[in-house]
Amino acid sequence: MAQTQTVNVRSGVASLPHSPKGKSLWADSWQRLRRNRAAIAGLIVILISILIAVFANQLAPRPYEKQILSDANAAPEWVLSIFPIMKARDELFKLEEGWSANVVTGQQVTPGAILLTNAATNETRVANMNGMVFVTDAGVMLSKSDVRVYPLNSVTPEVAHAANVKKGDLLLGNTTAEFDGAIFITEDQLILKAPGGYVPIRTEYALGSDGVGRDLLSRIIYGTRVSLTVAFIGPLVSIIVGMLVGLLAGYFGGWVD
């Protein structure tokens, strides 16, 4: 059916009975933005980054300037499963006066397991990673390095406790060492432990620490402030310079334009 036109008596201009309502430039821009999923995703990322920058003091696990030199280049335990080439460092918990071992050599422990106790002060020292413990005169050593466990079965070992052996050295009976390492002997087992690695394991650092013992996650969170500052300064300078040049060109025209 054809649409009928109505004629304005005074102006004589014909118009449709239901003229479509026009959109403003803002409405049209917003509609285009909503259709662009990549742009919406980028907008969400920017908004999240701004919130992280504003609330960095509350979100960061550690203050920006805090550092613990003994935790330099530390890594969380999950990193080792992704990068097997990284070897965890052996951790020694010293047996100082008043402290006693709460574990025995060859025992497997998990993070949080109590290794040492102080009866006088009710203090404890807990494991910071999964691994096997070795009780020595110096203290309790926690290690994630490779181990080989050999039952004694009434066989006298050919090596002494705490001795260092080379690959191929005779351990007991006809059994030889599979790799270089240290020997630990219990009542019923002989344990060959490979040397420890070089990476200190610290579960309290979600992403590890840098070379001077600062939390990387905290530094990334605070770094959003620097990144956003740089991101906003560039466009701001462009707007100011562009406005000045445009105003001068429009006002003077001619060769200035």
Side-chain angles (χ1 to χ4, degrees):
M1 179 182 292
Q3 289 184 322
T4 58
Q5 296 181 341
T6 58
V7 179
N8 190 304
V9 177
R10 294 183 179 180
S11 63
V13 178
S15 62
L16 295 174
H18 301 291
S19 300
K21 186 178 180 181
K23 292 182 179 179
S24 66
L25 291 177
W26 282 108
D28 184 60
S29 299
W30 176 243
Q31 185 178 26
R32 291 172 179 266
L33 177 64
R34 285 186 300 175
R35 291 176 181 174
N36 192 328
R37 295 183 179 180
I40 290 294
L43 178 62
I44 293 173
V45 170
I46 293 173
L47 293 176
I48 293 175
S49 299
I50 293 174
L51 291 175
I52 291 175
V54 171
F55 297 102
N57 292 334
Q58 289 73 33
L59 296 175
R62 285 172 175 74
Y64 182 82
E65 67 281 354
K66 184 177 180 180
Q67 64 183 95
I68 303 175
L69 292 177
S70 59
D71 290 346
N73 297 315
E77 195 170 2
W78 62 265
V79 171
L80 273 65
S81 60
I82 300 177
F83 303 101
I85 195 172
M86 298 175 65
K87 301 297 182 182
R89 185 182 72 186
D90 293 345
E91 296 292 335
L92 179 63
F93 300 84
K94 295 183 178 179
L95 272 173
E96 300 170 338
E97 184 178 356
W99 290 87
S100 60
N102 203 57
V103 290
V104 295
T105 296
Q107 181 177 338
Q108 292 282 353
V109 297
T110 56
I114 298 176
L115 303 179
L116 300 175
T117 57
N118 190 319
T121 60
N122 290 326
E123 295 178 280
T124 60
R125 291 177 182 170
V126 300
N128 61 314
M129 60 182 176
N130 294 294
M132 181 177 287
V133 293
F134 302 89
V135 181
T136 66
D137 294 336
V140 175
M141 180 171 59
L142 175 59
S143 177
K144 285 181 69 69
S145 61
D146 293 336
V147 296
R148 295 293 184 272
V149 180
Y150 308 97
L152 292 179
N153 295 328
S154 301
V155 178
T156 302
E158 302 292 339
V159 290
H161 180 77
N164 292 318
V165 297
K166 298 291 185 180
K167 181 179 180 181
D169 288 351
L170 192 62
L171 301 181
L172 69 163
N174 296 323
T175 304
T176 58
E178 300 179 39
F179 46 75
D180 298 350
I183 296 297
F184 294 89
I185 300 175
T186 65
E187 293 182 357
D188 57 354
Q189 292 179 331
L190 183 148
I191 303 173
L192 171 63
K193 188 190 86 66
Y198 59 94
V199 181
I201 302 301
R202 297 290 182 269
T203 55
E204 59 268 29
Y205 296 100
L207 297 180
S209 63
D210 63 8
V212 290
R214 296 175 297 189
D215 181 40
L216 287 178
L217 176 59
S218 298
R219 292 180 63 77
I220 291 173
I221 291 174
Y222 282 110
T224 56
R225 293 180 172 180
V226 179
S227 299
L228 288 175
T229 300
V230 173
F232 282 113
I233 285 179
L236 182 62
V237 171
S238 299
I239 291 173
I240 294 175
V241 174
M243 286 180 59
L244 291 175
V245 172
L247 289 172
L248 292 173
Y251 182 79
F252 292 103
W255 66 269
V256 177
D257 187 20

